[in-house]
Amino acid sequence: MTDPNAIQPSELDQLPDRDPEETAEWQASLDAVAKAAGPHRAAYLMRRTLERAEAGGIALPKLLETDYVNTIPTAAEPSAPGDEAMEHRITAWNRWNAAAMVTRGSKYGVGGHIATFASAAWLYETGFNHFFKGKEADGSGDQLYIQGHASPGIYARAFLDGRLNEDHLDNFRREAGGNGLPSYPHPRRLPWLWEFPTVSMGLGPLSAIYQARFNRYLTNRGIKDVSASHVWAFLGDGEMDEPESTAALALASREGLDNLTFVINCNLQRLDGPVRANFKIVQELEAQFRGAGWNVIKSLWGNAWDELFQLDTTGALVRRLREVPDAQVQTYQTRGAAYIREDFFGKDPALAEMAKLLSDDKILECFHFSRGGHEARKVYAAYKAAVEFKGAPTVILAQTVKGNTLGEGFASKNANHQMKKLTVDEFKTMRDLLELPIKDSDFVDGVVPYGHPGADSPEVRYLQERRAALGGPAPARRTHALAPLPAPAEKAFASFDKGSGTQNVATTMAFVRLIKDLVRDKETGKRWVPIVPDEARTFGMESLFPSLGIYSPKGQTYEPVDRDQLMYYKEAENGQILNEGITEAGSMADFIAASTAYSTHGEAMIPFYIFYSMFGWQRTADQMWQLGDQLGRGFLVGATAGRTTLTGEGLQHADGHSPVIAATNPAALTYDPAFAYEVAAIVKDGLRRMYGEAAPGEDPNVFYYLTVYNEPLPQPAKPSGLGIDEGIVKGLYRFNTAESAGLNVAAANAPRIQLLGSGTAIHWVLEAQKLLAEEWGVAADVWSATSWTELRRDALEADAALLRGEERVPYVRQALHGSDGPVLAVSDYMRQVPDQIAQWVEQDWSSLGADGFGLSDTREGARRHFGVDAESVVVAALAQLARRGEVKATAVKEAREKYGL
């Protein structure tokens, strides 16, 4: 009996049912199928119905998982062009040389990876022969993000086509001699070959998405039409656990990036064992990508499986494939036919009957070898479907066997990621499997030989002809002979020289004002790429919204709520600003794409990425390292910088260490400017070095990190005199002396001290200079230290020159030479920031800084807490002079009491 108080199904549905009787009939039909043919048949019909609805454009929630079978059935596979037998021979040579390279290098203990490329060889070879456009193709060619651990296979192919020789291969992972190959894709180490560094897991997929997005940005803004370029990212299934790997999937589908394809090598193994031992990584990834709006293509099984699927009249095989966990699939790869018959087929009566029709050889062929990622035709079909799909990015989930063709000692073994070599006997077995013409006598003294069919062989001619048809060799990085960008008008920089008068201005605001002038420059203005992670209003950049527009491929499909205001929120298809939302990682990926456009696309772009300084280097330092590796150029701007300037925000917003992290990056030029004119001078010099005429010996492949502050303070006029600009760029110059500051120090032989300050700390130092003169009779000279890190690097270069027998004095010693008294350095960062230069300062050295965690307070309260305010500087200066006997020891105690320290 039906409970009259029970909630009926229709009551749970907010949508009205205009025909309840028809609905009931559909439901009854489903119940009848489930009863007559079983729940599996009912589920099958529902999936097919949902697929038909999706294909017909009916608005329904997406089907997140499909059966554990190929998306493209064998009957629907297109015929692959080219000579498949020839491509098999080429792939065999590449497999051999990749394994030989790593094995030969193992005697030096330098490591290397064999199993990854062995599983992915056809994923690369099919692309190189038929899809990957070279740099001479339309637009800029394709962009290839190669899986880092597969690099030996890429080197092997470059050896086959003549771009590398045996000496290169023998110096794999041994670069110090000058003829070596880096372990992974490192553009800085091999700039003619590698375009994108990828081996820091997760950054490859993230960067690939933003590269595809930046390609659209360049096209939509009319900078360059790169609509013919396609971005290919080759990834590992284990790598997809990194949060960065999937962080931007929604962006890619939201913006319809059909110029992007992920190829995930699903060999079911990560570094220590199975990716999903008790689950199925392919199904998990399919649901994740489908849910994010991607087109998903699964290429799981090779042609040998076709016979099994044809025998599966009950669906038992498909059900079993769905339920077997990945670790068990890996076990099947290493076991004999009897085990597979019992464990796989024996679980279901229908499968047991099917197994009776299969020979042991057939079972082993299917379970040991036949995978979708190992068959050229299936890979071709997947790639063709991917590049032809419109409206969304595509992910190809290609199932492979890690260590394929390397023999039973490697294939699917948990330890194969750490296995660095094959024995001679294993190589001979591999040779026979690959049918390579290598003789036993070629193994001289047990050393495996490299194999090459000859520079004029059919294999090499075929390879080179295919690459010529596709636009040249790949992967490849271009070094374009770009004309230097014209320098912006001098008035944009000179306007800061006169200072702000009576107006207080934060250096953040000074930087934004400078950018406003630079983006209006007729010659270079369009090349600026402003990047901000949803904090533009914090940094006073909202005035750029209506003039530059925020980039959106859809433009502005709505009326903004603030349309009647002067600085309204304007989105545009050709917008210049990249406002990324709350994602520092995404913003950095933007910056990397823009900062390397001079090479990727032959178009010099000038990105500046402005962010909370605390949330830049601390969160995304790995991407900054990637940026340096990729030879990126541009300006990173850490705003609201310093440990004590961001009032009330507290520990997680108080940056006292970003210059420390930045100092570890050899490509980062780190500056902590104190005044607006310093900001202008640094940006001006950065434009010259990175985009104009670099001086002899200067590397243009650097990027600048500037810290700017949100504290409104007086901006003084630029001091007159020679060498000010040089000092700003090199890192140190004398801002004033006690005398030039107009301070009255009574005694002619008054004690003197040199006060060095950087960033906002210079204002406390100037106040301390005044107190020292007026209350303690001490003359202090004030120096602005714009870059402690650049001073240190110059000194390190001087030390290196000395070892070569060259006499060179570090700039910091030259600048301070002859200055009387000790040196006291003050920073709003940890003391180790100014202490970087201590060993090269000939005067007595001491420093003050904001060590420890930040805290919520007023600026004054925080500075007193850390002991860096003006009064603390005075006490520290007196203590330093007292140790030298230049002031009375009692003065230090008196000052502490007077200032309440």
Side-chain angles (χ1 to χ4, degrees):
M1 182 177 178
T2 304
D3 182 356
N5 296 317
I7 297 176
Q8 300 303 309
S10 60
E11 296 178 51
L12 296 174
D13 192 346
Q14 185 173 335
L15 299 176
D17 189 344
R18 67 180 186 183
D19 194 340
E21 186 175 345
E22 181 184 32
T23 304
E25 289 174 358
W26 277 81
Q27 293 169 337
S29 297
L30 181 63
D31 293 341
V33 171
K35 184 177 180 180
H40 296 299
R41 178 62 181 170
Y44 175 85
L45 291 175
M46 286 301 300
R47 284 198 301 273
R48 290 294 179 262
T49 302
L50 288 171
E51 288 170 356
R52 174 58 63 88
E54 185 175 333
I58 298 174
L60 282 174
K62 285 186 177 292
L63 185 66
L64 295 187
E65 276 190 41
T66 60
D67 287 323
Y68 202 68
V69 296
N70 295 345
T71 303
I72 304 170
T74 301
E77 291 170 1
S79 296
D83 185 336
E84 187 171 330
M86 180 69 73
E87 292 172 17
H88 269 276
R89 294 203 296 274
I90 293 171
T91 306
W93 285 117
N94 291 340
R95 287 180 181 277
W96 177 272
N97 287 322
M101 179 194 329
V102 177
T103 297
R104 287 168 66 130
S106 66
K107 67 181 180 181
Y108 301 106
V110 294
H113 301 283
I114 303 177
T116 295
F117 177 73
S119 68
W122 275 111
L123 301 180
Y124 291 107
E125 196 60 39
T126 303
F128 285 131
N129 285 325
H130 301 290
F131 291 94
F132 305 157
K133 294 187 287 291
K135 298 304 180 184
E136 283 78 44
D138 292 341
S140 303
D142 287 354
Q143 288 81 54
L144 307 181
Y145 288 77
I146 304 294
Q147 191 178 0
H149 292 148
S151 61
I154 308 305
Y155 290 138
R157 196 173 205 275
F159 169 65
L160 204 64
D161 74 8
R163 294 196 291 164
L164 295 175
N165 57 40
E166 288 193 13
D167 285 342
H168 290 116
L169 302 193
D170 266 345
N171 284 290
F172 173 59
R173 290 193 168 201
R174 295 191 300 136
E175 299 178 74
N179 196 32
L181 300 177
S183 54
Y184 303 124
H186 292 305
R188 187 169 284 274
R189 292 299 182 208
L190 203 60
W192 61 267
L193 180 72
W194 297 121
E195 197 167 14
F196 306 106
T198 54
V199 83
S200 189
M201 297 297 180
L203 299 190
L206 179 70
S207 294
I209 290 173
Y210 280 90
Q211 182 65 57
R213 198 284 195 92
F214 190 74
N215 290 357
R216 290 280 174 85
Y217 172 90
L218 285 179
T219 300
N220 289 344
R221 285 198 55 215
I223 301 293
K224 181 179 182 180
D225 183 0
V226 294
S227 56
S229 293
H230 200 88
V231 177
W232 299 83
F234 289 85
L235 317 168
D237 47 0
E239 180 180 8
M240 300 311 293
D241 282 347
E242 289 285 5
E244 294 88 353
S245 294
T246 56
L249 298 187
L251 166 71
S253 65
R254 183 170 65 245
E255 298 201 0
L257 298 181
D258 50 25
N259 60 338
L260 170 68
T261 297
F262 276 15
V263 181
I264 303 182
N265 179 17
C266 297
N267 57 37
L268 313 185
Q269 288 184 249
R270 54 190 181 197
L271 277 62
D272 288 332
V275 178
R276 292 290 183 273
N278 295 298
F279 305 93
K280 301 191 81 62
I281 185 60
V282 168
Q283 299 300 91
E284 179 181 320
L285 290 173
E286 178 184 28
Q288 192 169 16
F289 277 87
R290 283 187 183 275
W294 285 53
N295 175 44
V296 179
I297 298 172
K298 293 196 291 191
S299 184
L300 308 180
W301 308 111
N303 286 331
W305 282 84
D306 289 350
E307 179 183 343
L308 276 66
F309 288 124
Q310 289 168 6
L311 293 172
D312 184 30
T313 58
T314 66
L317 176 63
V318 173
R319 292 196 300 273
R320 184 72 179 128
L321 289 174
R322 281 179 61 88
E323 69 188 22
V324 175
D326 284 351
Q328 192 63 23
V329 173
Q330 183 179 346
T331 298
Y332 294 149
Q333 173 68 34
T334 65
R335 300 297 178 87
Y339 178 87
I340 299 171
R341 284 183 187 276
E342 178 182 353
D343 192 86
F344 181 83
F345 292 98
K347 302 295 185 183
D348 186 292
L351 288 179
E353 289 299 313
M354 178 192 297
K356 294 177 182 178
L357 304 175
L358 304 174
S359 67
D360 285 356
D361 286 345
K362 182 66 177 181
I363 289 175
L364 293 179
E365 180 186 14
C366 288
F367 284 84
H368 282 195
F369 306 109
S370 186
R371 300 291 187 273
H374 294 324
E375 297 191 7
R377 181 169 174 173
K378 295 197 178 296
V379 176
Y380 179 86
Y383 285 9
K384 188 172 189 292
V387 297
E388 291 178 353
F389 189 86
K390 300 303 176 186
T394 293
V395 60
I396 296 169
L397 304 175
Q399 186 162 271
T400 65
V401 174
K402 192 167 186 177
N404 182 52
T405 74
L406 297 179
E408 294 181 0
F410 265 83
S412 287
K413 295 298 177 66
N414 281 339
N416 62 19
H417 192 80
Q418 281 72 34
M419 296 163 70
K420 311 300 181 188
K421 59 184 178 180
L422 279 70
T423 66
V424 169
D425 287 342
E426 286 172 329
F427 266 109
K428 290 178 179 177
T429 300
M430 180 183 178
R431 171 201 63 190
D432 296 341
L433 176 65
L434 298 175
E435 300 179 338
L436 290 172
I438 296 173
K439 301 184 295 291
D440 286 355
S441 59
D442 293 334
F443 292 81
V444 179
D445 297 327
V447 177
V448 57
Y450 294 120
H452 199 291
D456 196 39
S457 64
E459 291 91 338
V460 172
R461 288 201 306 271
Y462 180 90
L463 182 156
Q464 293 176 342
E465 287 168 3
R466 291 306 309 140
R467 289 312 315 157
L470 287 165
R477 180 181 179 274
R478 269 188 175 178
T479 302
H480 296 268
L482 298 178
L485 293 182
E490 180 62 27
K491 66 178 182 180
F493 306 102
S495 62
F496 294 91
D497 290 352
K498 61 180 180 296
S500 63
T502 59
Q503 183 182 6
N504 289 343
V505 177
T507 51
T508 298
M509 295 301 101
F511 175 81
V512 172
R513 179 188 145 191
L514 174 62
I515 294 300
K516 287 179 182 177
D517 291 339
L518 294 176
V519 297
R520 286 197 290 262
D521 185 85
K522 291 181 179 180
E523 295 288 338
T524 61
K526 68 177 182 179
R527 297 192 175 274
W528 283 89
V529 184
I531 304 167
V532 60
D534 201 39
E535 289 280 5
R537 297 182 193 278
T538 301
F539 308 135
M541 291 174 58
E542 64 269 30
S543 61
L544 298 177
F545 288 169
S547 59
L548 301 184
I550 299 166
Y551 173 73
S552 169
K554 290 186 176 295
Q556 194 152 39
T557 61
Y558 60 92
E559 183 177 355
V561 67
D562 54 358
R563 182 62 183 86
D564 57 342
Q565 298 178 15
L566 182 63
M567 293 184 287
Y568 73 97
Y569 193 84
K570 178 187 175 183
E571 295 187 86
E573 188 175 352
N574 63 347
Q576 194 164 347
I577 301 170
L578 293 173
N579 190 316
E580 290 304 353
I582 305 175
T583 167
E584 285 82 7
S587 300
M588 266 307 302
D590 265 337
F591 187 88
I592 292 170
S595 70
T596 54
Y598 73 91
S599 172
T600 309
H601 296 298
E603 295 288 344
M605 304 300 289
I606 312 172
F608 77 88
Y609 165 33
I610 187 168
F611 50 87
Y612 263 88
S613 67
M614 183 68 166
F615 303 141
W617 286 87
Q618 176 167 298
R619 286 193 176 181
T620 58
D622 196 12
Q623 287 178 283
M624 273 82 162
W625 200 260
Q626 177 191 11
L627 167 65
D629 192 347
Q630 201 168 319
L631 308 174
R633 305 170 183 174
F635 297 95
L636 298 175
V637 183
T640 58
R643 181 144 280 165
T644 70
T645 63
L646 195 55
T647 57
E649 289 283 6
L651 185 150
Q652 283 194 292
H653 284 64
D655 171 24
H657 53 279
S658 69
V660 177
I661 307 174
T664 65
N665 191 311
L669 276 61
T670 303
Y671 287 90
D672 186 25
F675 305 123
Y677 67 79
E678 293 178 355
V679 172
I682 294 164
V683 171
K684 178 183 176 182
D685 191 70
L687 291 172
R688 175 200 61 79
R689 176 170 178 172
M690 294 185 291
Y691 301 97
E693 297 283 359
E698 275 188 330
D699 183 4
N701 299 315
V702 295
F703 59 94
Y704 283 64
Y705 175 52
L706 281 72
T707 50
V708 293
Y709 299 83
N710 70 326
E711 184 176 7
L713 289 166
Q715 296 297 326
K718 184 178 180 178
S720 58
L722 297 175
I724 298 297
D725 283 347
E726 179 188 22
I728 292 171
V729 172
K730 287 191 171 183
L732 182 69
Y733 69 97
R734 183 157 52 195
F735 177 72
N736 69 17
T737 64
E739 292 76 15
S740 66
L743 299 175
N744 183 21
V745 181
N749 59 347
R752 186 172 289 271
I753 190 169
Q754 307 300 315
L755 300 179
L756 278 59
S758 67
T760 194
I762 197 110
H763 296 279
W764 328 324
V765 168
L766 288 168
E767 187 178 347
Q769 179 191 39
K770 184 177 180 182
L771 291 173
L772 283 167
E774 294 177 351
E775 299 183 7
W776 305 98
V778 172
D781 301 336
V782 173
W783 299 71
S784 179
T786 54
S787 180
W788 309 102
T789 302
E790 286 306 294
L791 292 173
R792 175 180 175 81
R793 287 178 178 168
D794 172 80
L796 289 172
E797 289 173 7
D799 286 356
L802 190 62
L803 291 175
R804 296 191 300 268
E806 303 170 17
E807 288 294 333
R808 182 178 155 193
V809 180
Y811 174 78
V812 64
R813 186 170 295 167
Q814 295 178 45
L816 290 170
H817 180 69
S819 299
D820 295 333
V823 168
L824 174 61
V826 188
S827 165
D828 201 22
Y829 296 93
M830 304 167 69
R831 285 178 62 180
Q832 70 191 76
V833 175
D835 284 349
Q836 291 180 86
I837 66 170
Q839 72 185 83
W840 293 281
V841 174
E842 58 189 15
Q843 293 88 349
D844 290 343
W845 173 271
S846 185
S847 64
L848 295 176
D851 285 75
F853 286 115
L855 76 167
S856 300
D857 210 310
T858 63
R859 294 182 178 115
E860 293 75 15
R863 286 162 189 164
R864 176 54 59 93
H865 170 81
F866 285 112
V868 293
D869 59 353
E871 292 79 7
S872 297
V873 174
V874 169
V875 172
L878 293 174
Q880 203 171 359
L881 291 167
R883 285 193 296 271
R884 294 162 56 93
E886 296 180 20
V887 300
K888 294 179 180 179
T890 56
V892 181
K893 180 181 178 182
E894 182 183 345
R896 280 200 301 266
E897 293 173 350
K898 178 175 183 176
Y899 300 133
L901 297 178

